[in-house]
Amino acid sequence: MSSTPAKALASLLAAIACLMPLLPVLLWPGMGILASIALAVIGLAFFASSRKPTLAMVWRGRLPSIAVGMAVGAALAWCIANFVRPLVEGWFGRGIDISGREQVAGNPLVFAITLAIALGSAIVEEVIFRGYVVGWGSHVFGKGFAPLLMLLSSVVFGWAHMGYGMAGAVVTGIAGFVLGTLYLLCDRRVLPPIVAHMTFNAIGATALFMS
């Protein structure tokens, strides 16, 4: 009997821990991601059950995972540039705020640094927002909660990018929804959305450089 309260407490702590990385970016969009990373690392260190679902990478082999990710990332970049971004910017009557990023244009060194940050952030964000929150969360709350967790993480993912303005946050949230859907369709394996996110970011950074 004494094990029942202990199990209930462990489940409660796991539920809190798997959602905690969402809190810093809600309170502090942008730099809050650093606290989110720290909380995810602590969760992975203290909850052995979090590691396998969070870090489940490959879907049907490495090449299929990479190929699907690149295709989705490229398609997402094209759709956002040609349809989603103009539509959202029309709603808000203002464009996405890219102030401070103009120096990327035509500057190979700044472009290289920006690209490295963009690719690294894609890995970190997918592991946290998809692998940790949705992947581990679906083990903690049950598989039936995976779509709800994906929607929650997508909204917070968009909010975390408020540095781009409200239009940028909405566009990023839509991108997060697509990446989250890909994650679920790939049996909660994080490599496809990582590659998709990296492809999307690489296209975006290159577009800034070429502008």
Side-chain angles (χ1 to χ4, degrees):
M1 295 292 291
S2 61
S3 64
T4 301
K7 288 181 179 179
L9 178 60
S11 297
L12 176 61
L13 291 175
I16 294 172
C18 77
L19 295 177
M20 276 300 291
L22 299 178
L23 185 59
V25 290
L26 277 173
L27 299 177
W28 190 13
M31 294 304 294
I33 189 64
L34 298 177
S36 296
I37 293 170
L39 290 171
V41 169
I42 291 171
L44 289 168
F46 281 90
F47 293 89
S49 62
S50 69
R51 297 165 200 162
K52 184 176 180 180
T54 299
L55 302 174
M57 286 281 175
V58 178
W59 175 75
R60 298 187 180 180
R62 287 184 178 85
L63 287 179
S65 295
I66 293 171
V68 167
M70 291 181 68
V72 171
L76 178 61
W78 187 86
C79 288
I80 283 185
N82 291 281
F83 297 105
V84 177
R85 180 174 176 174
L87 180 63
V88 173
E89 288 178 338
W91 288 343
F92 290 99
R94 62 179 62 186
I96 293 175
D97 183 5
I98 59 169
S99 56
R101 299 171 179 85
E102 299 89 347
Q103 62 269 31
V104 176
N107 190 321
L109 178 59
V110 176
F111 167 66
I113 295 172
T114 300
L115 181 61
I117 294 172
L119 296 180
S121 66
I123 298 171
V124 171
E125 288 174 347
E126 289 309 308
V127 169
I128 293 176
F129 286 98
R130 257 59 74 178
Y132 189 87
V133 173
V134 183
W136 184 33
S138 66
H139 282 255
V140 173
F141 295 101
K143 292 181 180 179
F145 281 85
L148 180 60
L149 290 167
M150 186 273 283
L151 287 173
L152 175 62
S153 70
S154 299
V155 171
V156 176
F157 180 71
W159 181 261
H161 291 78
M162 277 295 293
Y164 295 106
M166 184 57 73
V170 171
V171 169
T172 305
I174 293 170
F177 176 80
V178 173
L179 294 169
T181 300
L182 174 64
Y183 178 69
L184 295 183
L185 292 175
C186 291
D187 299 325
R188 299 191 302 278
R189 297 296 189 270
V190 80
L191 183 56
I194 283 177
V195 174
H197 198 156
M198 292 176 73
T199 302
F200 178 82
N201 282 4
I203 293 172
T206 303
L208 282 174
F209 176 68
M210 298 293 290
S211 63

